[in-house]
Amino acid sequence: MVAQRIKKLNPYVPGEQPTDKEYIKLNANENPYPPHESVREAVKATLDAHPEKMGLYPDPDVGDLRQAIADMLNATGGVLANANINGETCSPDEKNKLPFTVTPDMIFCGNGSDEVLSLVFYMCFDSSIPLVMPEHSYSFYPVYCGFYGIPMNRIPLKEDWTLAYEEMTDASFSNRGCMIFPNPNAPTGLALSRAEIENMLEKSDPDRIVVVDEAYADFAEESCIPLIHKFPNKLIVVRTFSKSLSFAGMRLGYTVASPFLTDIIRTVKNSFNHFPVDFIAKTAGIASCKAAWYSAENAKKIVAERDSFIQWLKDRNWFVLDSKTNFVFAKKKGLSGKHIYEQVKKGGILIRHFNTKGIEDFVRMTIGTHEQMEALKNVLSTL
């Protein structure tokens, strides 16, 4: 009745989205702060002035949105938590100053980074060569491999839970395989340095693409966007508005790459969905980029709350990985991850538990507002 390939699909399972009860929701790495009021005002003003646009196809190239994203990256260096804020403007810290100017032809936009990733998978990864990725990583990668029939070469993490980047590089070079990995990694929250990623790019197969998924880079210390200048035909950086820009409910993602690679992604898009970004998302995205200073303030608050929470857990004998994201990955001796999740849920708070061999005793806890984190601490103190 249906194509045989349907039998090979393993759909992605998102964080729990309950409808029967109100919970403090710390299970999906969403931003606890709303977008800046100017974003809401821009959407309202556009709808009031041009209601007819609801019935018209949107701009397929979203050139003004791509310009706004490029301007934001140039102003922040790609790491909001480390950007310098001066009133309603930003400037990059010394570590993240870009060695080039990001231009609109280096930006591709899509309906959330998951759609962007799907197009990149189709564009870059072959069905005849295993794709190199970490064993514990974003669980949508295996889903896309199943969807497109791409074999996987999953490299175990090191004993300290960091990416085994040397083994991944060796696997890419020996098998002529492409690579993909999140940096910082999910669900561990750990990050490779830009120097380590540069080393991977230099030593991996010279004719294969490396995709770095920077969904959480705005909460880290550095981005690898500066490396695009050195590896223009090899590196694609995937970013999202969902985490640091408070857009999980809006759906907007993008890539940063050389104009050459960006143009190929656009060709794939135009063969699949000519209009992935609707005019409301575009309007909101532009306004959000212009209010980058506000998102930078929120990113700094989240990082401060994260570091305080990590210390709180360590003081109570939790094993906690040194997160560079907006979440914490932790476990406590004598307690299963499932038990922690269930008890915290009984306390009115949702966190994430992965029933995956090797990480089943961990829970992942999104960093919320100070008040939400105090509520979480109160529940965790009862375990």
Side-chain angles (χ1 to χ4, degrees):
M1 183 180 294
V2 297
Q4 288 297 309
R5 59 177 172 267
I6 297 297
K7 298 178 180 179
K8 298 180 181 179
L9 295 183
N10 260 315
Y12 174 73
V13 179
E16 195 173 352
Q17 303 284 342
T19 58
D20 61 329
K21 180 181 175 180
E22 288 292 324
Y23 290 92
I24 295 175
K25 198 164 178 297
L26 302 177
N27 67 332
N29 301 340
E30 296 147 323
N31 198 306
Y33 303 104
H36 190 259
E37 61 183 13
S38 62
V39 176
R40 301 190 296 276
E41 291 169 356
V43 171
K44 184 178 184 301
T46 298
L47 286 171
D48 287 344
H50 298 287
E52 76 281 0
K53 288 192 174 183
M54 293 286 287
L56 303 176
Y57 287 113
D59 173 12
D61 295 321
V62 290
D64 44 0
L65 174 59
R66 291 186 290 112
Q67 180 68 65
I69 293 171
D71 292 343
M72 176 182 66
L73 293 175
N74 291 324
T76 64
V79 183
L80 285 172
N82 283 352
N84 301 312
I85 303 173
N86 183 15
E88 295 187 0
T89 63
C90 290
S91 62
D93 67 331
E94 194 63 34
K95 182 185 291 188
N96 290 294
K97 286 184 177 178
L98 300 178
F100 58 90
T101 299
V102 178
T103 53
D105 59 355
M106 298 174 65
I107 305 295
F108 168 80
C109 299
N111 183 20
S113 64
D114 288 333
E115 181 189 63
V116 170
L117 281 167
S118 176
L119 299 177
V120 168
F121 265 70
Y122 185 87
M123 163 190 165
C124 298
F125 308 146
D126 292 321
S127 60
S128 59
I129 304 173
L131 172 61
V132 177
M133 68 177 74
E135 178 182 13
H136 298 299
S137 184
Y138 185 28
S139 50
F140 224 134
Y141 300 161
V143 173
Y144 283 138
C145 283
F147 191 86
Y148 291 115
I150 301 166
M152 294 179 287
N153 185 359
R154 305 177 75 171
I155 307 299
L157 303 180
K158 294 181 180 180
E159 290 186 1
D160 63 359
W161 299 95
T162 58
L163 295 191
Y165 69 91
E166 293 171 330
E167 288 82 352
M168 291 176 64
T169 305
D170 290 344
S172 166
F173 190 83
S174 61
N175 296 324
R176 301 207 65 220
C178 294
M179 277 193 289
I180 187 169
F181 57 92
N183 195 59
N185 189 32
T188 63
L190 301 175
L192 296 175
S193 69
R194 187 188 300 143
E196 288 170 328
I197 294 176
E198 183 173 8
N199 185 270
M200 295 176 75
L201 290 162
E202 288 175 340
K203 295 184 178 180
S204 59
D205 190 293
D207 299 320
R208 295 292 175 179
I209 297 290
V210 173
V211 178
V212 181
D213 186 348
E214 288 196 341
Y216 301 99
D218 276 322
F219 306 102
E221 295 177 0
E222 55 187 0
S223 166
C224 68
I225 289 175
L227 300 177
I228 292 172
H229 186 64
K230 187 175 181 180
F231 302 96
N233 298 325
K234 190 175 180 66
L235 175 61
I236 297 176
V237 179
V238 178
R239 309 273 300 204
T240 181
F241 275 59
S242 295
K243 314 303 181 184
S244 57
L245 295 170
S246 305
F247 261 52
M250 182 65 73
R251 313 312 301 139
L252 191 58
Y254 63 99
T255 61
V256 192
S258 67
F260 169 72
L261 291 177
T262 302
D263 191 56
I264 299 175
I265 302 173
R266 191 173 296 111
T267 297
V268 175
K269 181 267 289 187
N270 288 335
S271 302
F272 173 72
N273 179 9
H274 202 58
F275 306 101
V277 180
D278 65 74
F279 91 98
I280 296 176
K282 184 189 81 162
T283 300
I286 292 171
S288 185
C289 289
K290 291 179 178 179
W293 59 273
Y294 167 82
S295 295
E297 287 181 346
N298 289 338
K300 292 177 187 293
K301 286 192 289 187
I302 289 169
V303 165
E305 196 68 46
R306 176 197 72 198
D307 293 345
S308 173
F309 183 53
I310 288 174
Q311 189 58 54
W312 186 90
L313 290 171
K314 288 181 176 179
D315 290 343
R316 286 154 183 78
N317 299 316
W318 285 70
F319 176 79
V320 193
L321 299 184
D322 186 21
S323 175
K324 301 300 178 185
T325 64
N326 67 336
F327 61 83
V328 169
F329 201 56
K331 64 180 179 178
K332 190 169 186 180
K333 188 175 181 180
L335 298 177
S336 71
K338 183 179 180 181
H339 174 77
I340 296 170
Y341 156 76
E342 290 174 342
Q343 294 304 116
V344 171
K345 184 176 181 179
K346 287 180 181 178
I349 302 174
L350 293 179
I351 58 177
R352 190 79 187 264
H353 168 247
F354 297 91
N355 190 26
T356 304
K357 186 176 181 181
I359 60 172
E360 65 270 26
D361 286 335
F362 282 89
V363 289
R364 192 193 70 191
M365 297 171 278
T366 304
I367 303 301
T369 64
H370 179 71
E371 293 73 21
Q372 289 173 334
M373 298 311 293
E374 289 300 303
L376 177 59
K377 291 175 186 177
N378 288 336
V379 176
L380 293 177
S381 294
T382 66
L383 299 180

